[in-house]
Amino acid sequence: MKIRNFIAVLIFPLMFSLSLAEAHMPGAKPPPDFKLKPIILNDGGRKIKITMEDIGRYHNERTERVRRKLLKNEGKSVQEISEIIKREFAQADGKCPCVCCAFRVMLLAVQKLWSEGVAERSDIKIISHLPGQGSMQCFEYITGSGLGIPNVQSKGEFSLIFPPKDKREKAMGDIDIDDWSFAVIHKSTGKKFEVQIKDDVFPKGFFALRKKVNVEKTATEDEIDRYGIMWEEVRDTFLTKADWEIFEGEKEPFPIGGVIFFSLLSIGVICFICVPKVRRNKKSFKKP
Amino acid sequence: MDRKLAQIYFGILGVVSLVFGVVNILTTISGKSLLLGILEIPADMFRGGWGGLVILSAGLFYLSGAKRLSEIHHFSKVVMASILLWLIATCDIFAMVCESIPGGEEGPFFNTLHGFFAAYAPPYKPAIFLLPFSLVVIYYIYKRRSE
């Protein structure tokens, strides 16, 4: 019990402030155009659509609120706080890699576990191994278990489980690819969908640089800039790439369009070669 | 009747080519490629800018030639426009063929069957869409010769 209290008192506030640094990236370019379907839920008999924008906004609001509290604790004045918030959140839209990843996980999970593509909110159970505020808040929003979510009629379950490593180290933000794994459970049937993010999603050296920038705080200006570019790349991958490019075990669909085009092209080339020959042969046959 | 039909056909093809050419040039200037379903309008300097200029010229040739198709000088403009489109389309197809055979930077020497067909999958560039429609000119070349 004492250990639990220790984790709750010491580690979670640390984790909170660390993941806050990742929640938004001041100076990051806006994301590219993307087409992601909304997550459709049945919330106590009412159909609701949750879009990437909704989650982004929610995450942004909560991150801003926490940042305000932290600045207040640091003894900053109201004016100073509003200036810092204005500067730091100037272009923030809440679409950080964690949020985008969690949204994609849920989109795929709903498609896999609920045949009609509409999930009963109270029937959802999510287990995440990623200790990032973005993904946690996204899952909280979807299950309706977070703070300040509008019009929640029913609630699902969400738990964050650290992988069996040093919990304290994990909470301090030392995450790697193994932590980007999630499980979604259809509670009434017991069906479980487990998913792991592919290695290729993250540029080489992403986690080492992340640790240097966000945890150890020893990164140079150049490394911070490089991390910012990598951060944008990961976010854009989650927003724009296909499921098979993001998740382990998802198969790339066979390129039917490519087969049709190649067949037509082959027929065209054969006709181009054969038709003049046939015509020539016909003409020579007609000659006496 | 047949001539009238050909005039309308090449006129429409000219307008479409002209629009594609202009959009190609605009995307190159803006630096952002455009993706509309299975149509992709590139924004790079060679295929977007230069290619766009060639498609635009093809459009102008079609429109100029379609007016009096019975005259050999005007008909040659239509043929020329088709040749311009063939040049760009064959460049695009050749790029696809080259891309489909090797296995990529970190892959095997030869591509997999899946990767091979994926290279021919959509989206396609405008010249590829215009290619089959421009081939109609071959029919009129043969027809003219027989006349």
Short mmCIF file of all heavy atoms in Angstrom, two decimals, chain A residues 12-21 23-24 58-74 81 85 88-89 133 137 147:
data_model
loop_
_atom_site.label_atom_id
_atom_site.label_comp_id
_atom_site.label_asym_id
_atom_site.label_seq_id
_atom_site.Cartn_x
_atom_site.Cartn_y
_atom_site.Cartn_z
N PHE A 12 3.36 10.03 -10.43
CA PHE A 12 2.36 10.56 -11.36
C PHE A 12 2.47 12.06 -11.63
O PHE A 12 2.38 12.47 -12.78
CB PHE A 12 0.96 10.13 -10.95
CG PHE A 12 0.65 8.74 -11.41
CD1 PHE A 12 0.82 7.66 -10.58
CD2 PHE A 12 0.26 8.50 -12.72
CE1 PHE A 12 0.58 6.37 -11.03
CE2 PHE A 12 0.03 7.21 -13.18
CZ PHE A 12 0.19 6.14 -12.33
N PRO A 13 2.73 12.88 -10.60
CA PRO A 13 2.93 14.29 -10.94
C PRO A 13 4.15 14.49 -11.84
O PRO A 13 4.12 15.31 -12.76
CB PRO A 13 3.15 14.95 -9.57
CG PRO A 13 2.53 14.05 -8.59
CD PRO A 13 2.70 12.70 -9.13
N LEU A 14 5.19 13.69 -11.61
CA LEU A 14 6.38 13.78 -12.47
C LEU A 14 6.03 13.42 -13.91
O LEU A 14 6.40 14.10 -14.86
CB LEU A 14 7.46 12.81 -11.96
CG LEU A 14 8.49 13.38 -10.99
CD1 LEU A 14 9.33 12.26 -10.42
CD2 LEU A 14 9.37 14.38 -11.70
N MET A 15 5.31 12.31 -14.02
CA MET A 15 4.89 11.82 -15.34
C MET A 15 4.04 12.86 -16.05
O MET A 15 4.18 13.11 -17.23
CB MET A 15 4.07 10.56 -15.12
CG MET A 15 3.81 9.75 -16.33
SD MET A 15 2.85 8.34 -15.81
CE MET A 15 1.28 8.87 -16.37
N PHE A 16 3.21 13.50 -15.24
CA PHE A 16 2.30 14.51 -15.78
C PHE A 16 3.07 15.69 -16.37
O PHE A 16 2.81 16.12 -17.48
CB PHE A 16 1.41 14.99 -14.63
CG PHE A 16 0.04 15.32 -15.08
CD1 PHE A 16 -0.79 14.33 -15.58
CD2 PHE A 16 -0.43 16.62 -15.01
CE1 PHE A 16 -2.06 14.63 -16.01
CE2 PHE A 16 -1.70 16.93 -15.45
CZ PHE A 16 -2.50 15.92 -15.94
N SER A 17 4.05 16.16 -15.58
CA SER A 17 4.80 17.32 -16.07
C SER A 17 5.70 16.95 -17.23
O SER A 17 5.92 17.74 -18.14
CB SER A 17 5.62 17.94 -14.93
OG SER A 17 6.44 16.95 -14.37
N LEU A 18 6.21 15.69 -17.23
CA LEU A 18 7.08 15.27 -18.33
C LEU A 18 6.30 15.11 -19.63
O LEU A 18 6.73 15.54 -20.69
CB LEU A 18 7.77 13.95 -17.99
CG LEU A 18 9.01 14.07 -17.12
CD1 LEU A 18 9.42 12.72 -16.59
CD2 LEU A 18 10.14 14.71 -17.89
N SER A 19 5.15 14.45 -19.51
CA SER A 19 4.38 14.23 -20.73
C SER A 19 3.75 15.52 -21.23
O SER A 19 3.38 15.64 -22.38
CB SER A 19 3.32 13.16 -20.53
OG SER A 19 2.63 13.45 -19.37
N LEU A 20 3.70 16.50 -20.35
CA LEU A 20 3.21 17.82 -20.76
C LEU A 20 4.15 18.43 -21.80
O LEU A 20 3.73 19.07 -22.75
CB LEU A 20 3.15 18.72 -19.52
CG LEU A 20 2.38 20.01 -19.65
CD1 LEU A 20 0.92 19.71 -19.77
CD2 LEU A 20 2.63 20.89 -18.45
N ALA A 21 5.45 18.14 -21.58
CA ALA A 21 6.44 18.65 -22.52
C ALA A 21 6.24 18.04 -23.90
O ALA A 21 6.63 18.62 -24.91
CB ALA A 21 7.83 18.32 -22.02
N ALA A 23 3.15 16.91 -24.92
CA ALA A 23 1.77 17.09 -25.34
C ALA A 23 1.63 18.09 -26.48
O ALA A 23 0.83 17.91 -27.36
CB ALA A 23 0.93 17.55 -24.16
N HIS A 24 2.42 19.10 -26.45
CA HIS A 24 2.40 20.03 -27.58
C HIS A 24 3.82 20.46 -27.86
O HIS A 24 4.67 20.47 -26.97
CB HIS A 24 1.49 21.22 -27.29
CG HIS A 24 2.05 22.18 -26.31
ND1 HIS A 24 2.12 21.88 -24.97
CD2 HIS A 24 2.61 23.41 -26.45
CE1 HIS A 24 2.67 22.90 -24.34
NE2 HIS A 24 2.98 23.83 -25.21
N TYR A 58 -9.89 18.57 -26.75
CA TYR A 58 -9.99 18.14 -25.34
C TYR A 58 -8.59 18.05 -24.72
O TYR A 58 -8.35 18.54 -23.61
CB TYR A 58 -10.69 16.78 -25.29
CG TYR A 58 -10.77 16.17 -23.91
CD1 TYR A 58 -11.58 16.72 -22.93
CD2 TYR A 58 -10.03 15.03 -23.59
CE1 TYR A 58 -11.67 16.15 -21.66
CE2 TYR A 58 -10.10 14.45 -22.33
CZ TYR A 58 -10.93 15.02 -21.37
OH TYR A 58 -10.99 14.47 -20.12
N HIS A 59 -7.69 17.43 -25.46
CA HIS A 59 -6.31 17.26 -24.97
C HIS A 59 -5.63 18.63 -24.78
O HIS A 59 -4.95 18.88 -23.79
CB HIS A 59 -5.53 16.41 -25.97
CG HIS A 59 -4.07 16.29 -25.67
ND1 HIS A 59 -3.60 15.90 -24.44
CD2 HIS A 59 -2.97 16.51 -26.44
CE1 HIS A 59 -2.28 15.88 -24.46
NE2 HIS A 59 -1.88 16.26 -25.65
N ASN A 60 -5.88 19.51 -25.71
CA ASN A 60 -5.29 20.85 -25.66
C ASN A 60 -5.79 21.61 -24.42
O ASN A 60 -5.00 22.23 -23.70
CB ASN A 60 -5.67 21.61 -26.93
CG ASN A 60 -4.56 22.53 -27.37
OD1 ASN A 60 -3.39 22.31 -27.05
ND2 ASN A 60 -4.90 23.55 -28.11
N GLU A 61 -7.10 21.52 -24.19
CA GLU A 61 -7.70 22.23 -23.05
C GLU A 61 -7.12 21.71 -21.74
O GLU A 61 -6.77 22.48 -20.85
CB GLU A 61 -9.22 22.03 -23.05
CG GLU A 61 -9.94 22.94 -24.04
CD GLU A 61 -11.39 22.53 -24.27
OE1 GLU A 61 -11.91 21.70 -23.49
OE2 GLU A 61 -11.96 23.03 -25.23
N ARG A 62 -7.03 20.37 -21.64
CA ARG A 62 -6.54 19.79 -20.38
C ARG A 62 -5.06 20.10 -20.17
O ARG A 62 -4.64 20.37 -19.04
CB ARG A 62 -6.80 18.28 -20.37
CG ARG A 62 -8.25 17.99 -20.01
CD ARG A 62 -8.50 16.56 -19.69
NE ARG A 62 -7.78 16.08 -18.53
CZ ARG A 62 -7.92 14.85 -18.05
NH1 ARG A 62 -8.75 14.01 -18.62
NH2 ARG A 62 -7.24 14.46 -17.00
N THR A 63 -4.31 20.05 -21.26
CA THR A 63 -2.88 20.35 -21.16
C THR A 63 -2.68 21.80 -20.71
O THR A 63 -1.84 22.09 -19.86
CB THR A 63 -2.18 20.12 -22.51
OG1 THR A 63 -2.55 18.84 -22.98
CG2 THR A 63 -0.67 20.19 -22.41
N GLU A 64 -3.50 22.68 -21.29
CA GLU A 64 -3.40 24.10 -20.97
C GLU A 64 -3.73 24.34 -19.47
O GLU A 64 -3.04 25.09 -18.78
CB GLU A 64 -4.37 24.88 -21.86
CG GLU A 64 -4.04 26.36 -21.92
CD GLU A 64 -5.06 27.13 -22.72
OE1 GLU A 64 -5.30 26.79 -23.88
OE2 GLU A 64 -5.61 28.08 -22.15
N ARG A 65 -4.76 23.63 -19.01
CA ARG A 65 -5.19 23.78 -17.62
C ARG A 65 -4.07 23.34 -16.67
O ARG A 65 -3.78 24.01 -15.68
CB ARG A 65 -6.44 22.93 -17.38
CG ARG A 65 -7.42 23.59 -16.41
CD ARG A 65 -8.69 22.79 -16.29
NE ARG A 65 -9.40 22.69 -17.56
CZ ARG A 65 -10.18 21.68 -17.90
NH1 ARG A 65 -10.35 20.66 -17.10
NH2 ARG A 65 -10.81 21.69 -19.06
N VAL A 66 -3.44 22.22 -17.00
CA VAL A 66 -2.36 21.70 -16.15
C VAL A 66 -1.16 22.65 -16.19
O VAL A 66 -0.55 22.94 -15.15
CB VAL A 66 -1.93 20.28 -16.63
CG1 VAL A 66 -0.69 19.81 -15.89
CG2 VAL A 66 -3.06 19.31 -16.40
N ARG A 67 -0.87 23.17 -17.34
CA ARG A 67 0.26 24.10 -17.49
C ARG A 67 0.03 25.35 -16.64
O ARG A 67 0.94 25.84 -15.99
CB ARG A 67 0.43 24.46 -18.98
CG ARG A 67 1.62 25.33 -19.28
CD ARG A 67 2.92 24.57 -19.24
NE ARG A 67 4.06 25.44 -19.53
CZ ARG A 67 5.13 25.55 -18.75
NH1 ARG A 67 5.23 24.85 -17.65
NH2 ARG A 67 6.12 26.34 -19.08
N ARG A 68 -1.21 25.81 -16.66
CA ARG A 68 -1.56 26.98 -15.84
C ARG A 68 -1.30 26.71 -14.36
O ARG A 68 -0.73 27.54 -13.66
CB ARG A 68 -3.04 27.34 -16.03
CG ARG A 68 -3.31 28.24 -17.20
CD ARG A 68 -4.78 28.61 -17.30
NE ARG A 68 -5.06 29.17 -18.61
CZ ARG A 68 -4.83 30.43 -18.95
NH1 ARG A 68 -4.32 31.26 -18.07
NH2 ARG A 68 -5.10 30.87 -20.17
N LYS A 69 -1.72 25.50 -13.93
CA LYS A 69 -1.53 25.13 -12.52
C LYS A 69 -0.06 25.07 -12.18
O LYS A 69 0.37 25.56 -11.12
CB LYS A 69 -2.18 23.77 -12.25
CG LYS A 69 -3.62 23.86 -11.82
CD LYS A 69 -4.14 22.52 -11.41
CE LYS A 69 -5.64 22.60 -11.17
NZ LYS A 69 -6.21 21.28 -10.96
N LEU A 70 0.73 24.47 -13.07
CA LEU A 70 2.17 24.33 -12.82
C LEU A 70 2.82 25.71 -12.73
O LEU A 70 3.66 25.96 -11.87
CB LEU A 70 2.85 23.50 -13.92
CG LEU A 70 2.59 21.99 -13.90
CD1 LEU A 70 3.15 21.33 -15.14
CD2 LEU A 70 3.22 21.36 -12.66
N LEU A 71 2.42 26.60 -13.62
CA LEU A 71 2.99 27.95 -13.62
C LEU A 71 2.59 28.71 -12.36
O LEU A 71 3.39 29.46 -11.79
CB LEU A 71 2.54 28.72 -14.87
CG LEU A 71 3.16 28.26 -16.20
CD1 LEU A 71 2.45 28.90 -17.38
CD2 LEU A 71 4.65 28.61 -16.26
N LYS A 72 1.36 28.47 -11.92
CA LYS A 72 0.86 29.11 -10.70
C LYS A 72 1.68 28.63 -9.49
O LYS A 72 2.06 29.42 -8.63
CB LYS A 72 -0.62 28.79 -10.51
CG LYS A 72 -1.35 29.78 -9.64
CD LYS A 72 -2.82 29.42 -9.56
CE LYS A 72 -3.49 30.29 -8.55
NZ LYS A 72 -4.89 29.85 -8.32
N ASN A 73 1.95 27.32 -9.48
CA ASN A 73 2.76 26.74 -8.40
C ASN A 73 4.19 27.30 -8.40
O ASN A 73 4.84 27.34 -7.37
CB ASN A 73 2.81 25.22 -8.51
CG ASN A 73 1.47 24.60 -8.18
OD1 ASN A 73 0.58 25.26 -7.64
ND2 ASN A 73 1.30 23.34 -8.52
N GLU A 74 4.65 27.67 -9.59
CA GLU A 74 5.99 28.25 -9.70
C GLU A 74 6.02 29.69 -9.20
O GLU A 74 7.07 30.33 -9.16
CB GLU A 74 6.47 28.20 -11.16
CG GLU A 74 6.97 26.83 -11.59
CD GLU A 74 7.28 26.77 -13.08
OE1 GLU A 74 7.58 27.83 -13.68
OE2 GLU A 74 7.23 25.67 -13.63
N ILE A 81 1.39 34.24 -16.54
CA ILE A 81 0.83 32.93 -16.94
C ILE A 81 0.11 33.06 -18.29
O ILE A 81 0.36 32.26 -19.20
CB ILE A 81 -0.15 32.39 -15.86
CG1 ILE A 81 0.65 32.02 -14.59
CG2 ILE A 81 -0.92 31.18 -16.36
CD1 ILE A 81 -0.20 31.66 -13.39
N ILE A 85 1.17 31.09 -21.66
CA ILE A 85 0.18 30.19 -22.28
C ILE A 85 -0.07 30.63 -23.73
O ILE A 85 -0.11 29.80 -24.64
CB ILE A 85 -1.15 30.18 -21.47
CG1 ILE A 85 -0.93 29.53 -20.10
CG2 ILE A 85 -2.29 29.52 -22.22
CD1 ILE A 85 -0.69 28.04 -20.09
N GLU A 88 3.05 29.66 -25.76
CA GLU A 88 3.28 28.22 -25.91
C GLU A 88 2.17 27.51 -26.68
O GLU A 88 2.40 26.52 -27.35
CB GLU A 88 3.43 27.57 -24.53
CG GLU A 88 4.78 27.85 -23.91
CD GLU A 88 4.98 27.09 -22.60
OE1 GLU A 88 4.09 26.31 -22.21
OE2 GLU A 88 6.03 27.29 -21.98
N PHE A 89 0.95 28.01 -26.54
CA PHE A 89 -0.18 27.33 -27.17
C PHE A 89 -0.69 28.08 -28.40
O PHE A 89 -1.83 27.89 -28.80
CB PHE A 89 -1.32 27.14 -26.16
CG PHE A 89 -1.04 26.09 -25.13
CD1 PHE A 89 -0.24 26.38 -24.03
CD2 PHE A 89 -1.54 24.81 -25.26
CE1 PHE A 89 0.04 25.42 -23.07
CE2 PHE A 89 -1.26 23.83 -24.31
CZ PHE A 89 -0.46 24.14 -23.21
N GLN A 133 0.25 11.53 -21.69
CA GLN A 133 -1.01 12.22 -21.40
C GLN A 133 -1.95 12.21 -22.60
O GLN A 133 -3.15 12.06 -22.44
CB GLN A 133 -0.72 13.67 -21.00
CG GLN A 133 -0.17 13.81 -19.61
CD GLN A 133 -1.14 13.31 -18.56
OE1 GLN A 133 -2.30 13.72 -18.54
NE2 GLN A 133 -0.69 12.43 -17.71
N GLN A 137 -5.62 10.68 -22.32
CA GLN A 137 -6.80 11.55 -22.42
C GLN A 137 -7.69 11.17 -23.60
O GLN A 137 -8.91 11.31 -23.53
CB GLN A 137 -6.36 13.01 -22.50
CG GLN A 137 -5.89 13.50 -21.15
CD GLN A 137 -5.15 14.80 -21.20
OE1 GLN A 137 -5.03 15.42 -22.25
NE2 GLN A 137 -4.62 15.22 -20.08
N LEU A 147 -12.15 13.80 -17.23
CA LEU A 147 -12.77 15.00 -16.65
C LEU A 147 -13.31 15.91 -17.76
O LEU A 147 -12.68 16.04 -18.81
CB LEU A 147 -11.72 15.79 -15.86
CG LEU A 147 -11.08 15.12 -14.65
CD1 LEU A 147 -9.87 15.92 -14.20
CD2 LEU A 147 -12.09 15.01 -13.51
#
